[in-house]
Amino acid sequence: KTLLLQDHDTKAKQLIAEKETTKLTLEEQHQNTVTQLKSEMDTKEKKAIDDLKAKELDMERKLKMMKQDSERQLSGLTDNHGKERNNLKNSINEMEKSIEKMNQEIQIMENKYDDARKEIQSWEDLHSSRSYCNLTHLHEDTSAAVTVASKAASQH
């Protein structure tokens, strides 16, 4: 019995020692695994941060390019608008000058028309007041026509 008990105690001590060894081994493996996982996690985190920074820089670069393009387009459109506006103003000024010139020409034509109507009316009045035609009348009519023509020529 004592031998059996001794054997049992030895076995128990051996099992306890193996248990401690296994426990230490497992704890060491656990610690190694945790350290390895932390290292991998740190590496992946650093890579993710670097990737995010690279993407952020790329996005900032693209935004800057887009902003420059937009500003360049806006500047071009603004310049074109200014040129078009000036062209339209010039066209309007030219048209206003043309209208003014046309109004002056219309006034001249109306004055000439009035003068012609007056002359026709005077000839009609003169013709209706004469019952015959002679050289005196021809001389008066020719003198009147020359006077009117001279007056018209001196005005131009």
Side-chain angles (χ1 to χ4, degrees):
K1 252 182 169 188
T2 38
L3 190 56
L4 203 55
L5 275 175
Q6 276 183 346
D7 224 9
H8 182 285
D9 283 342
T10 306
K11 283 262 186 205
K13 285 180 186 177
Q14 193 179 20
L15 282 174
I16 290 173
E18 282 180 20
K19 178 182 163 191
E20 280 301 314
T21 304
T22 303
K23 180 181 170 187
L24 289 174
T25 304
L26 285 174
E27 283 178 356
E28 186 180 328
Q29 285 177 351
H30 173 72
Q31 190 62 37
N32 288 341
T33 302
V34 167
T35 303
Q36 182 182 1
L37 288 173
K38 281 184 180 180
S39 175
E40 286 178 15
M41 190 170 76
D42 287 345
T43 303
K44 287 180 180 180
E45 183 180 6
K46 285 179 185 174
K47 185 180 183 308
I49 289 172
D50 290 345
D51 287 348
L52 283 173
K53 284 182 181 178
K55 286 181 181 179
E56 182 180 4
L57 290 174
D58 188 47
M59 286 297 176
E60 286 175 358
R61 182 184 56 78
K62 286 179 181 178
L63 281 172
K64 186 177 180 181
M65 286 175 45
M66 289 171 65
K67 182 180 177 186
Q68 289 173 346
D69 286 345
S70 295
E71 288 173 350
R72 200 173 14 257
Q73 287 176 355
L74 179 62
S75 176
L77 291 173
T78 302
D79 290 346
N80 285 342
H81 175 73
K83 288 176 185 175
E84 286 295 319
R85 187 168 188 230
N86 287 338
N87 288 342
L88 288 173
K89 281 183 177 181
N90 290 340
S91 294
I92 289 170
N93 288 338
E94 288 176 18
M95 286 182 188
E96 287 173 346
K97 288 176 184 176
S98 285
I99 289 171
E100 186 177 325
K101 186 176 178 181
M102 290 164 116
N103 285 335
Q104 290 172 351
E105 289 177 14
I106 288 171
Q107 187 62 44
I108 290 170
M109 296 294 263
E110 286 175 346
N111 290 341
K112 285 182 181 180
Y113 174 76
D114 287 343
D115 290 345
R117 278 304 296 152
K118 287 175 186 174
E119 187 176 345
I120 289 170
Q121 186 63 46
S122 71
W123 283 108
E124 286 175 349
D125 291 344
L126 185 62
H127 179 69
S128 66
S129 67
R130 294 182 183 161
S131 58
Y132 62 93
C133 178
N134 68 22
L135 284 179
T136 305
H137 288 190
L138 284 174
H139 177 58
E140 289 174 357
D141 293 346
T142 306
S143 291
V146 169
T147 304
V148 169
S150 295
K151 203 185 267 186
S154 69
Q155 288 177 353
H156 296 293

